[in-house]
Amino acid sequence: MSLRTVLFFWGVFLLLHLLDSVGRDTISSRALYEQQLNVSFSLGNMSWPANATRFDEIGTMLDNLFLQSSSIDPDEPAPVFYQNLTGIMKGKWTHLNLTYNDIPHAAYYNETEARRLLAGFTFSKRHSGVLSFHLQSNNSVLMNVSHKDSELSDVRFIDGFVKVGHPRGGLLLSVHGAHFVRTGEVFLVGSAAGNGSSLTTIPAMMLSKESFEYAKGLALGVNAENLRYLRNRIASDPSSEEDVESLQSRTACVFYIFMQLRHLPRPFSWEDIQAYEEELLHPQGIPTRKPPRLQSNAILYSPTCGVVLSSTDNTIRGLKLEQYHAKSATYTVVVWIISCLELFLTMRQMQFTTTPSALSKVSVVTVGMLTCLDAYLCLFHFASGGAIPTLFLPFVTAAFFKFLLFSIFEMRYLLDVTRAQRRNSTDFAIGAMYSRFCTYMVVGVFLFFQFGAQSPTIVAITGFVMNSFWVPQIVSNIRRNSRGALDPYYLFGMSLLRLILPLYYYGCPRNVVHYEEVKPFGASVLVMWMAAQVILLVLQDRFGPRVFVPSLLRPVQYDYHPVLTATDIEQSTLIAPSVADATATSSTAVSLRRNECAICFTSVIPVTAGATASSSSSSSSSKSPVDSVLSSNVSRMSYMVTPCHHLFHTECLEKWMEVKFECPVCRTELPENN
C-alpha cells in the first residue's frame, strides 16, 4: 500500500473523529464522587412547590394526556399497564405552535435566549417526523419516603435515549426519569447537549406533591447507588477515572417528556402481565397470555425554547426488548438465506460467462454496484451487532456471509470482467482497482453516515441509486450492441432477492429498523423501477440491444456480411460495398487477402455484386426480384469479413468470437457482431 493511500485513510478516520456526534471525556472518580455528593445535598433540600417547575402554558395538554388514568370509574377494576418498559417504541410527532401570549412571563423563558439555544434548529407548523424511544427500566430503592402504600409507590427509574427525527436532521436526547407503574405515567427529561442530566430535574417536573415526593425518593435511591459504586472504585484505585459521554448538538434545549401508557384490555390482570414479562425475561416454556403491543401518547416540551411536540392517538407503539431480539434473530436467518441464494446465483453467472467474449459483454459498473451494495450491507450488520451485544452473534453471522459473497466471489467476478474488457491490464492496474474499490466504499460510508443518514430524502435517493444496478448493463448493451450477457436465472433471481430487504425496511411497519418511517409509496416505486430494468434487459435479449433506440440515434456498427465484387476476390483490390447494402456502416473500402477460411482452411464462396446482377437477369423469368434479393442475403450470411480484411465462414468466426474478440490471423480487436 502506497504512502498516499495510508495518509488518505488516516485523514478519513481523523475527519470521522472530528465530526462524531458523540464525544467521550474522562473525569476522575473522586471528582465525580464530589459532584454526586452535591446532587445528593440538592435533592435533600428540594421541597414542593418551591422546587417544582410550573407548566401552566401546557396545562390543558397535560390534563388531556393524563385523563386516561384520572377518569377511571371507582367501581371498575384498576387499569393494568406494562410494568417493564425496557424496549423500543416508535411514533410520529407533530409541532404545536405556542405564541408569546401562551407562555407566561416566567423566569425560565426568554425569547432571545430561546433563539440562542435553538441555534437555527427551528420547528414550524408544517414540520413532523419520527419519534423513537430506546428505554431501559431499572428497579430502584426509594429513600426518605414516609408512605409507601400509595399507588405511586411502585415507581421505577428509566434511562435511555430518544431520537426526534427532523427534515433538517435530528435530535438525539439522552434521557432519564421516573415510571409510575400503577398509573402508567412516565416522566423523562433530557437534552441533546448533555446539560440536562442532573437527577434533580426528575422531581422538579412532577405535577403533584405526592408524585414529587416519590420522584425525589427515587432520585435519592439512584444517587445512593452511584455513590456506593464510586466509593468502591476509589477504594480499589484512588486514581481511577470514569468515562463521561457527551452529545454534541446544534441545540442546547432541555426537553421534558410526558408519556401516558395505554392500559391493557380488561381481562388482563397484574398477575398476567407480570407472568408474561417474567417469561420473556427468563424463558421457561410456561404458557402465558400475550397482551397487545405497548402503546402510549407523549408530549415533548422545552420551556426555555418554547417548543411543543405532540404524539397523540396512541401513535407511539413498540416492542419489548426480548420481542425485538426474537424478531432480530428471525431477520438474521432471512438475511443468511438471502446471502446463500445470492451466492448460488453469482456462481451460476460465473459459469455462464466463462469465456473472455462472454465476460466482455458484462458491465463492470453493474458488477461493481452489486459488490458495493453487499459490502455496505456487511458493514451495516456488523455495526448493528456491535451496538446490540445480545444480537452480536446472529448479526455478525449475517455479516460474515455477506463478507464472503462480496470479498471472494463478487470481487473475483469483478476482476475477471475487468481483465476481459482490458486485456492489456497489468497486475498493478488490477491492484489499483482493488484500492479504488476500497476507497470508494470507505468514502461512501463516511459521506452517508455523516451527512445523509439524518435526511430521509438523501437516504431514499441513495437507496434508489444503489438499486439501479441493471441500468449500466442496459447502457453497455446499447453501446456495444451485444446481448445475452446475463444468465436468466441470475437476472430474475438477483432482482427479486435485492428487493426483499428494501421492501422490509420501507414497507413493513414492524421491522427491526425503528428509525425510519414506513413509506409504502417509495416501496412501490422501487418495485416498479426494478421491474422496468428487468423488462428492458429481456427486450434487449429478445429483439436486439437497440430495439428501443431510434434509428437516427443508433451509433454506427460494422457489417460483417458485405456484398463483394469478383474483381476484389481475384485481384484483392480495394472495393466499396454494394449500393444494395444500404445498412452497411463501413463507407471505406474492403480488401480480401485470401479466399480461404483461416480457421477451417476450406474455401469460402462470397456473394459478389456481379454474380448477384447476372443471377438476377438470368432468372428474371422464373424468380421475382424479391426472391432474388432474399437468396442473395441468405448467401452472404454464410461468410464474414473482418475489419482487417480477412475472410471466414460465419459459423467458424462466430464460434471463435465466443472465446475472444480478436482476429485469428492478425490478432486485431474485433467489434461486436449483431
Side-chain angles (χ1 to χ4, degrees):
M1 184 178 292
S2 63
L3 178 61
R4 183 176 59 182
T5 304
V6 174
L7 293 177
F8 170 78
F9 280 108
W10 271 108
V12 169
F13 286 116
L14 179 61
L15 192 59
L16 281 170
H17 175 73
L18 293 177
L19 295 179
D20 192 3
S21 60
V22 179
R24 190 172 293 273
D25 302 323
T26 59
I27 185 174
S28 66
S29 299
R30 189 174 298 277
L32 188 58
Y33 180 78
E34 296 293 334
Q35 292 182 7
Q36 293 298 319
L37 284 178
N38 294 332
V39 171
S40 179
F41 179 77
S42 299
L43 285 171
N45 292 331
M46 293 182 68
S47 62
W48 174 273
N51 299 109
T53 304
R54 296 178 58 87
F55 300 102
D56 297 338
E57 59 276 19
I58 60 170
T60 304
M61 302 179 192
L62 295 179
D63 291 340
N64 294 331
L65 177 68
F66 297 121
L67 183 63
Q68 175 183 356
S69 60
S70 61
S71 61
I72 299 298
D73 190 348
D75 297 332
E76 294 289 336
V80 178
F81 303 92
Y82 275 95
Q83 300 183 28
N84 191 334
L85 296 187
T86 301
I88 301 173
M89 294 183 288
K90 181 180 69 173
K92 188 174 183 179
W93 62 263
T94 55
H95 179 254
L96 301 179
N97 286 333
L98 280 182
T99 62
Y100 184 75
N101 294 328
D102 295 326
I103 302 176
H105 298 277
Y108 55 74
Y109 179 78
N110 181 278
E111 188 172 359
T112 303
E113 181 68 9
R115 292 178 179 177
R116 185 189 69 82
L117 294 175
L118 285 170
F121 197 91
T122 58
F123 293 88
S124 66
K125 188 175 181 180
R126 58 184 176 87
H127 284 161
S128 63
V130 177
L131 191 62
S132 300
F133 293 82
H134 292 240
L135 302 179
Q136 176 73 36
S137 182
N138 303 276
N139 293 323
S140 302
V141 179
L142 297 179
M143 296 184 62
N144 299 338
V145 178
S146 57
H147 302 287
K148 296 185 180 182
D149 54 351
S150 170
E151 64 177 6
L152 299 180
S153 61
D154 192 356
V155 56
R156 302 184 181 184
F157 182 71
I158 299 289
D159 63 350
F161 64 89
V162 176
K163 182 178 181 182
V164 182
H166 192 274
R168 297 182 180 178
L171 294 177
L172 186 63
L173 308 176
S174 177
V175 299
H176 60 215
H179 169 213
F180 294 94
V181 177
R182 296 294 172 175
T183 61
E185 299 175 352
V186 181
F187 299 85
L188 301 172
V189 60
S191 171
N195 58 356
S197 58
S198 175
L199 292 174
T200 57
T201 56
I202 297 178
M205 67 180 298
M206 296 298 116
L207 304 179
S208 67
K209 181 178 180 180
E210 187 178 12
S211 61
F212 178 89
E213 294 297 332
Y214 282 108
K216 176 182 174 181
L218 175 68
L220 286 171
V222 174
N223 186 72
E225 293 178 2
N226 295 337
L227 290 174
R228 187 181 304 109
Y229 166 78
L230 292 173
R231 280 196 298 267
N232 294 334
R233 286 277 294 175
I234 295 173
S236 60
D237 184 8
S239 61
S240 62
E241 295 183 344
E242 303 294 332
D243 291 334
V244 180
E245 191 175 85
S246 61
L247 301 176
Q248 300 174 5
S249 175
R250 289 181 294 172
T251 175
C253 299
V254 177
F255 281 86
Y256 294 93
I257 304 174
F258 305 88
M259 298 180 64
Q260 175 62 61
L261 303 181
R262 179 180 176 86
H263 64 80
L264 299 175
R266 287 301 179 186
F268 282 93
S269 63
W270 288 106
E271 291 75 15
D272 293 334
I273 191 64
Q274 185 175 3
Y276 174 74
E277 292 182 336
E278 183 67 23
E279 179 64 21
L280 284 179
L281 187 61
H282 304 289
Q284 301 291 333
I286 302 175
T288 58
R289 299 181 60 184
K290 184 177 181 181
R293 295 184 65 191
L294 182 63
Q295 299 182 23
S296 69
N297 297 323
I299 292 177
L300 285 75
Y301 177 46
S302 176
T304 54
C305 297
V307 176
V308 179
L309 307 179
S310 175
S311 180
T312 56
D313 299 328
N314 295 307
T315 56
I316 300 177
R317 300 184 179 186
L319 293 173
K320 301 281 291 180
L321 186 62
E322 297 81 8
Q323 295 174 321
Y324 179 75
H325 289 170
K327 287 180 68 70
S328 300
T330 304
Y331 165 82
T332 303
V333 174
V334 173
V335 173
W336 175 79
I337 295 175
I338 292 174
S339 301
C340 293
L341 292 176
E342 289 176 348
L343 180 60
F344 169 76
L345 292 174
T346 302
M347 296 179 65
R348 184 183 178 92
Q349 173 65 15
M350 295 174 69
Q351 295 175 357
F352 182 77
T353 54
T354 56
T355 63
S357 174
L359 287 170
S360 63
K361 298 179 182 179
V362 181
S363 172
V364 177
V365 180
T366 292
V367 180
M369 291 179 66
L370 290 170
T371 307
C372 285
L373 188 58
D374 284 323
Y376 290 149
L377 289 174
C378 173
L379 293 176
F380 167 76
H381 289 100
F382 188 80
S384 300
I388 308 175
T390 55
L391 298 179
F392 179 78
L393 185 59
F395 267 64
V396 169
T397 302
F400 174 72
F401 278 97
K402 283 293 182 182
F403 177 78
L404 288 180
L405 178 61
F406 91 85
S407 65
I408 298 179
F409 293 93
E410 288 181 335
M411 283 297 294
R412 176 66 183 179
Y413 190 55
L414 179 62
L415 180 62
D416 293 339
V417 173
T418 305
R419 280 176 172 170
Q421 298 184 11
R422 301 177 183 178
R423 287 182 288 271
N424 296 326
S425 297
T426 61
D427 291 340
F428 175 80
I430 299 300
M433 184 196 71
Y434 273 97
S435 300
R436 285 195 298 269
F437 175 82
C438 296
T439 301
Y440 295 155
M441 187 178 67
V442 171
V443 172
V445 171
F446 166 72
L447 294 177
F448 177 77
F449 281 100
Q450 292 298 329
F451 304 106
Q454 303 296 334
S455 174
T457 302
I458 296 180
V459 172
I461 294 176
T462 303
F464 183 82
V465 171
M466 293 303 296
N467 284 277
S468 302
F469 43 79
W470 296 134
V471 173
Q473 184 62 56
I474 296 173
V475 175
S476 177
N477 290 346
I478 297 174
R479 183 177 59 86
R480 300 174 64 88
N481 194 29
S482 62
R483 69 176 86 182
L486 304 176
D487 178 58
Y489 288 96
Y490 180 78
L491 173 62
F492 289 100
M494 275 294 186
S495 301
L496 291 175
L497 293 175
R498 298 288 178 174
L499 281 175
I500 293 178
L501 292 182
L503 291 181
Y504 176 72
Y505 294 151
Y506 291 102
C508 179
R510 299 182 181 182
N511 59 71
V512 296
V513 183
H514 284 261
Y515 286 104
E516 298 298 335
E517 185 180 3
V518 175
K519 299 178 177 62
F521 175 76
S524 303
V525 170
L526 183 60
V527 171
M528 291 187 291
W529 173 238
M530 185 67 70
Q533 297 178 70
V534 174
I535 290 173
L536 288 178
L537 285 172
V538 172
L539 290 176
Q540 285 184 324
D541 289 345
R542 185 174 180 84
F543 300 105
R546 300 170 180 174
V547 61
F548 45 83
V549 179
S551 57
L552 296 178
L553 300 179
R554 295 179 182 178
V556 175
Q557 64 186 55
Y558 179 77
D559 182 21
Y560 278 95
H561 309 281
V563 177
L564 309 175
T565 64
T567 307
D568 278 319
I569 299 174
E570 295 174 357
Q571 302 180 4
S572 297
T573 58
L574 295 176
I575 64 166
S578 171
V579 179
D581 187 18
T583 61
T585 61
S586 177
S587 59
T588 59
V590 179
S591 174
L592 301 178
R593 295 174 181 166
R594 292 188 62 180
N595 191 16
E596 183 181 89
C597 178
I599 298 177
C600 65
F601 299 105
T602 59
S603 61
V604 182
I605 304 176
V607 176
T608 61
T612 303
S614 62
S615 173
S616 300
S617 61
S618 63
S619 60
S620 59
S621 60
S622 60
K623 293 184 179 181
S624 64
V626 176
D627 293 336
S628 300
V629 173
L630 290 176
S631 177
S632 174
N633 288 338
V634 172
S635 299
R636 68 189 181 93
M637 289 299 162
S638 63
Y639 66 88
M640 297 176 68
V641 180
T642 63
C644 50
H645 319 313
H646 293 105
L647 185 64
F648 303 92
H649 290 111
T650 298
E651 183 180 2
C652 296
L653 189 58
E654 284 183 345
K655 290 183 178 180
W656 175 272
M657 293 175 69
E658 290 179 358
V659 178
K660 57 178 63 178
F661 284 98
E662 292 181 354
C663 177
V665 177
C666 62
R667 303 302 180 185
T668 301
E669 185 173 356
L670 300 179
E672 294 280 351
N673 178 29
N674 185 17

